[in-house]
Amino acid sequence: MFPQNRPLSSGHRTIRIQMHTRRLDVRAEHKIRLDRLTDEGIIKIAGPLADPTNSDKLNGSSLVVEAENVAAVCAVLEQDLYWTRNVWDKEKLDIRAITVSINAR
């Protein structure tokens, strides 16, 4: 995270603008795929994450994927346009298992 009293450099701004442009370019196709995976029962929940200091800004994505193992989750992600078109920051990928205690019906 950047110190709050230090502005982003123009290089960081350029990267963010490029990522935003790439996101908009493939968003419709990305959503169609997620809808299909939801219908197939693979994706349970998906959506953008809001910046905790400014809910109008996005700072990530969250997906709940039902899969047998981490490799299967990676396969789902790696076939997504946000992955192949470098919208997602691959270095920040964080996959965690969830033990379901309560299941919405």
Side-chain angles (χ1 to χ4, degrees):
M1 178 171 279
F2 295 99
Q4 291 189 7
N5 60 351
R6 192 175 118 208
L8 292 174
S9 71
S10 61
H12 288 107
R13 226 176 263 131
T14 301
I15 290 168
R16 290 186 131 183
I17 289 169
Q18 289 171 348
M19 290 178 82
H20 181 70
T21 300
R22 286 192 299 264
R23 178 183 295 271
L24 294 178
D25 288 346
V26 298
R27 186 171 186 266
E29 290 177 72
H30 164 76
K31 287 188 69 179
I32 289 168
R33 180 174 181 271
L34 290 184
D35 284 342
R36 181 179 52 79
L37 292 173
T38 300
D39 291 344
E40 293 173 8
I42 296 169
I43 299 287
K44 300 300 183 181
I45 298 171
L49 296 174
D51 183 308
T53 61
N54 182 348
S55 62
D56 292 332
K57 287 186 178 181
L58 304 180
N59 72 351
S61 300
S62 180
L63 291 92
V64 175
V65 179
E66 185 169 323
E68 291 295 319
N69 52 47
V70 171
V73 174
C74 288
V76 169
L77 297 177
E78 290 171 357
Q79 294 172 28
D80 194 281
L81 285 171
Y82 277 14
W83 183 274
T84 60
R85 301 281 181 89
N86 296 313
V87 173
W88 285 328
D89 185 343
K90 296 170 187 172
E91 293 182 14
K92 292 183 179 179
L93 178 64
D94 183 12
I95 298 175
R96 299 178 187 209
I98 299 173
T99 302
V100 178
S101 298
I102 299 173
N103 189 3
R105 299 184 210 322

